[in-house]
Amino acid sequence: AAAMELYEKGVVTDAQTGIPLRFGSGEALLRMVEATGWRKGFGNELAEGSMRMTAKFGHPEFFMGVKGQEFPAYDPRGLQGMGLGYATSNRGACHLRAFTAGAEVFGKMDRTATEGKAKLTKKLQDSGAASYDASGLCSFIDSAVGPEAVVPMLQAATGIAYTVEEILKAGERIHNLERLWNLKAGFTAKDDTLPPRMLQEPPPAGPSAGMVNRLDEMLPEYYRLRGWSPEGVPTHEKLAELGLA
C-alpha cells in the first residue's frame, strides 16, 4: 500500500517500479510479491519493509505502522482500543498483543469510545503474554476461553497449582521486561504513537467516516494503570512488586 501511494502521488515512476503500482491492481500485487521475494527491481526496495522504503523516498508519513512494524487488518480510526494496542505493543503494531477488536466489533464495548480501553488493553496484553505466548497455546482460542480456561490446562500439564491471578501477574512481568528491553534499546514514550494519518485524517466515507484515533485520551490512563511514569517508564515500585527491581 505504501508503494502504491508513492506511485500514485508521483514520488516513484514506471521507470523505477517496472509496472504501474495502482491501488486495486492484482497484477501489480502479484508481480511485486515475486519481485520482493527475489529482491529484483523495485522489489529490492519493498524487501526492506515500508518504514525504510518510505523514509528513503522522503515520505515517512506514508508508513502505516508502529515501531517499524506495519499494521495488520484493523484501522485504528474505527477501533479506538486497537489504536492503543498498536501504539503500546512492545513489538510494534500487532493485534495479537491486545485484540480489543473482539470486544469492540462484537458489541461488548462501543468501538468509537475511549473509556475502558486502557484497562482492556492492559488486561489483554498481560493475559496474552502468559496464557498463550509463554504457555505455547494458540492465541486464537483467546476469543473463546481466556485465562480462566487456560489455568486448568497448565495445572494438568505441569502439576503446578496456578491461579488466574498468578497467570495475569506473570504476563504483567513479561510485558514489563519487554518494556525495559525496549527502553534500553532506545525506544521512548514518543514511540508509543500512531502515524499522523490515524490521528489527524479521518476516512472520507464508510462506517468510520469522520473518525480519528484519540490516543491522547487513552495513553496517560494506560501508563497509570501500568504503574509507569508519565514518560512510560516502569516505576521502581512497580518493578519491586513484580520482583524485577
Side-chain angles (χ1 to χ4, degrees):
M4 289 177 170
E5 185 163 14
L6 288 171
Y7 179 88
E8 294 207 340
K9 293 188 175 176
V11 180
V12 297
T13 66
D14 288 339
Q16 293 164 293
T17 63
I19 184 175
L21 298 186
R22 299 196 182 282
F23 283 107
S25 171
E27 180 186 4
L29 178 61
L30 292 174
R31 288 271 297 273
M32 286 300 108
V33 166
E34 184 174 4
T36 301
W38 291 103
R39 298 194 75 119
K40 288 184 176 180
F42 197 70
N44 191 51
E45 306 292 352
L46 290 167
E48 291 296 313
S50 60
M51 184 182 75
R52 289 191 179 99
M53 181 192 66
T54 54
K56 178 176 179 177
F57 289 102
H59 286 277
E61 73 277 10
F62 292 173
F63 168 62
M64 294 297 109
V66 176
K67 300 182 179 80
Q69 174 145 293
E70 292 86 347
F71 287 149
Y74 310 95
D75 189 326
R77 293 173 293 189
L79 298 170
Q80 295 295 320
M82 288 305 301
L84 178 63
Y86 289 162
T88 57
S89 169
N90 287 319
R91 70 171 185 176
C94 176
H95 63 281
L96 297 177
R97 287 298 184 264
F99 188 66
T100 68
E104 293 178 301
V105 172
F106 297 112
K108 295 179 182 177
M109 298 184 78
D110 181 356
R111 69 183 180 88
T112 70
T114 58
E115 292 81 8
K117 300 301 172 64
K119 183 178 180 180
L120 175 65
T121 297
K122 177 186 180 299
K123 180 180 179 180
L124 291 175
Q125 287 173 340
D126 293 347
S127 173
S131 300
Y132 309 107
D133 295 343
S135 72
L137 290 171
C138 175
S139 60
F140 273 110
I141 69 171
D142 185 32
S143 299
V145 291
E148 292 79 9
V150 170
V151 165
M153 301 182 200
L154 291 174
Q155 291 174 342
T158 66
I160 300 173
Y162 289 112
T163 65
V164 171
E165 291 72 21
E166 287 170 339
I167 293 301
L168 291 175
K169 185 65 70 175
E172 185 179 12
R173 188 178 300 113
I174 290 169
H175 191 87
N176 276 267
L177 279 170
E178 293 174 344
R179 181 69 174 191
L180 293 174
W181 175 278
N182 278 358
L183 291 170
K184 287 182 179 295
F187 288 98
T188 70
K190 292 181 179 179
D191 297 292
D192 294 339
T193 189
L194 297 169
R197 177 171 295 163
M198 300 295 109
L199 302 173
Q200 301 168 11
E201 300 178 27
S208 298
M211 294 173 57
V212 296
N213 189 271
R214 305 193 304 279
L215 182 64
D216 60 332
E217 297 178 16
M218 300 178 285
L219 192 59
E221 181 185 3
Y222 174 85
Y223 285 165
R224 289 195 298 273
L225 290 173
R226 278 258 169 243
W228 296 354
S229 73
E231 293 72 40
V233 178
T235 63
H236 178 79
E237 290 76 15
K238 173 53 67 175
L239 295 180
E241 174 194 326
L242 297 174
L244 300 175

